[in-house]
Amino acid sequence: MKGRIHVAGAGVISAIGNSVTETFESLQHERMGISHITLFDSVHKGVLPVGEVKYSNESLSDTLWAKPVTRTALLGIHAAREAVKSSGLDLKRWRTGLISATTVGGMDLTENFFPDFLTNSSKGKLRDVIHHACGQSTELIADDLKINGFVSTINTACSSSVNAIMLGSRMIDQGMLDVVIAGGTDALTKFTINGFNSLMILDKNLCRPFDANRNGLNLGEGAGFIVLVSDKVKQAEGLKTDCFVAGFANTNDAFHQTASSPEGRGSYGAMQQTLAMSGLKVEDIDYINLHGTGTQNNDLSEGTAVKRLFGDKCPPVSSTKAFTGHTLGASGGIEAVFSVLAIREQCVFPNLRFETAIPEVGITPQLAFEKGISVKHVMSNSFGFGGNCSSIVFSKE
């Protein structure tokens, strides 16, 4: 890149906290947020654990937005507001864009509308479906932040948020924008839970990423955004930033609609190309935030790729989805915030509930929260359905 793309602010909401501060406290004290479904009725209530945000739609609406809008939008507004506030920037001074990722969109309201409507076409509130499209959540976040320049939505499954950050970084690098708020938001819905359950990849117990006895993932929800700024903005505003985007890459292993290639072709290529772009060697990476969903296929594929690339120089690794659940399109944004925290606080996060290494790869992840160590370069992986694989490296200023 021509100049550095700095991270000037961060905002997050998930099952383990409603702010960056609360989130870090949960990570530090190893408090996970996965429990029973409480936000809606489901045949899986009390059976499938999930990572719910501890706010109801009503409380989010009262705090953020008077009009009835989707939970996906509300979570995104919450995190994006915190990110902008923490940056201290006056967005009106700069060419500002918003790039938000989502896979769920407005399904949470749509699925409540249709049962009554299908019974009687005069029933149901149309206001519950007007925000169904994925792009509507982005438009609502942009309206709240008063961003009317470049506004875009990315949906590439679970790699969506990292791809949003990548696009934002490229647009700043090419001189098209000065500031970009980038990340993603997704809410839990009955449709999502039923869909993933049909794939038989949900664990009825708490998930165990990267463990030999893993049995599937736990779904979660939330939003995570970071504020990206150019060198020009940083200098003009006198910003003190903790880290910058050093490199990134997106690949596709073109193997299967939902499964990763067994040898991890896409994930290996994404990590390898990210290192090449950043000008770093494998021994320079101090921590890897794994995609680590807890499914048989994903963890073996990703572990195989990590082992192939890093060999005996593998740094501390962990999957923070054991804390939050898999937040789908929001995961890359939430875990980008975790990566920023790892650099800011000079720490690495634990892989909860790990007991036995996967025999084929033999990787033992980080077992406890550790602070006071040197963390200069953090890699974060996000790999999605359809073989869409993205990696990104954040580096200390």
Side-chain angles (χ1 to χ4, degrees), residues 114-225:
F114 272 103
D116 287 340
F117 179 78
L118 292 174
T119 303
N120 184 337
S121 61
S122 66
K123 290 186 176 182
K125 299 175 182 178
L126 286 174
R127 70 185 185 191
D128 287 344
V129 295
I130 59 173
H131 298 307
H132 173 81
C134 282
Q136 279 299 107
S137 62
T138 306
E139 295 292 338
L140 290 164
I141 298 167
D143 287 348
D144 184 76
L145 298 178
K146 296 179 172 56
I147 295 173
N148 52 22
F150 183 84
V151 177
S152 187
T153 305
I154 289 183
N155 182 345
T156 55
C158 306
S159 60
S160 301
S161 286
V162 174
N163 289 339
I165 296 168
M166 287 168 53
L167 177 57
S169 299
R170 292 175 65 188
M171 294 189 74
I172 292 174
D173 186 54
Q174 293 300 314
M176 301 171 72
L177 293 170
D178 302 308
V179 177
V180 175
I181 294 88
T185 176
D186 260 340
L188 280 167
T189 68
K190 289 182 281 189
F191 182 91
T192 312
I193 292 173
N194 292 340
F196 273 80
N197 191 57
S198 71
L199 296 174
M200 298 183 288
I201 56 173
L202 296 183
D203 197 337
K204 293 182 180 179
N205 299 301
L206 297 176
C207 64
R208 292 164 289 173
F210 262 69
D211 191 277
N213 299 307
R214 66 200 181 282
N215 198 37
L217 59 87
N218 301 144
L219 287 169
E221 64 177 357
F225 288 89

Side-chain angles (χ1 to χ4, degrees), residues 92-115:
K92 295 190 295 292
R93 291 189 58 196
W94 304 100
R95 295 174 301 164
T96 302
L98 169 70
I99 307 175
S100 180
T102 184
T103 64
V104 171
M107 277 191 241
D108 62 303
L109 292 184
T110 306
E111 65 187 12
N112 291 331
F113 167 82
F114 272 103

Side-chain angles (χ1 to χ4, degrees), residues 2 23 34 45 89 123 125 145 156 278 285 351 364:
K2 300 171 185 176
T23 297
I34 301 171
K45 205 169 188 176
L89 287 169
K123 290 186 176 182
K125 299 175 182 178
L145 298 178
T156 55
S278 62
I285 301 299
N351 197 110
T364 296

Side-chain angles (χ1 to χ4, degrees), residues 15 32-40 44 48-54 188 193 202-203 206 218-221 324-325:
M32 65 92 184
I34 301 171
S35 188
H36 297 299
I37 299 169
T38 65
L39 294 171
F40 49 79
H44 305 299
L48 295 174
V50 295
E52 290 182 337
V53 167
K54 308 305 185 283
L188 280 167
I193 292 173
L202 296 183
D203 197 337
L206 297 176
N218 301 144
L219 287 169
E221 64 177 357
T324 64

Side-chain angles (χ1 to χ4, degrees), residues 157-364:
C158 306
S159 60
S160 301
S161 286
V162 174
N163 289 339
I165 296 168
M166 287 168 53
L167 177 57
S169 299
R170 292 175 65 188
M171 294 189 74
I172 292 174
D173 186 54
Q174 293 300 314
M176 301 171 72
L177 293 170
D178 302 308
V179 177
V180 175
I181 294 88
T185 176
D186 260 340
L188 280 167
T189 68
K190 289 182 281 189
F191 182 91
T192 312
I193 292 173
N194 292 340
F196 273 80
N197 191 57
S198 71
L199 296 174
M200 298 183 288
I201 56 173
L202 296 183
D203 197 337
K204 293 182 180 179
N205 299 301
L206 297 176
C207 64
R208 292 164 289 173
F210 262 69
D211 191 277
N213 299 307
R214 66 200 181 282
N215 198 37
L217 59 87
N218 301 144
L219 287 169
E221 64 177 357
F225 288 89
I226 57 176
V227 179
L228 304 170
V229 302
S230 64
D231 282 329
K232 176 183 176 182
V233 173
K234 179 179 177 176
Q235 292 166 8
E237 296 277 354
L239 300 176
K240 292 183 179 179
T241 57
D242 297 305
C243 61
F244 63 94
V245 177
F248 46 75
N250 172 257
T251 63
N252 196 300
D253 60 19
F255 174 74
H256 188 270
Q257 286 180 316
T258 59
S260 303
S261 63
E263 64 273 28
R265 288 197 308 265
S267 46
Y268 176 85
M271 291 187 289
Q272 183 186 48
Q273 292 174 37
T274 296
L275 286 177
M277 181 179 181
S278 62
L280 298 172
K281 300 176 182 178
V282 292
E283 56 264 34
D284 295 323
I285 301 299
D286 299 302
Y287 169 59
I288 303 174
N289 184 289
L290 299 165
H291 184 55
T293 62
T295 65
Q296 287 289 328
N297 171 261
N298 175 90
D299 292 6
L300 178 57
S301 176
E302 184 177 13
T304 299
V306 169
K307 190 72 173 179
R308 177 184 170 196
L309 182 60
F310 287 87
D312 59 2
K313 296 177 182 177
C314 188
V317 304
S318 68
S319 169
T320 47
K321 290 179 177 66
F323 283 89
T324 64
H326 189 357
T327 56
L328 306 181
S331 61
I334 291 171
E335 290 163 30
V337 176
F338 294 174
S339 301
V340 172
L341 282 171
I343 292 173
R344 179 186 299 172
E345 302 293 338
Q346 293 290 278
C347 65
V348 292
F349 306 118
N351 197 110
L352 301 181
R353 297 182 290 280
F354 176 86
E355 294 180 353
T356 308
I358 300 171
E360 295 90 335
V361 295
I363 294 176
T364 296

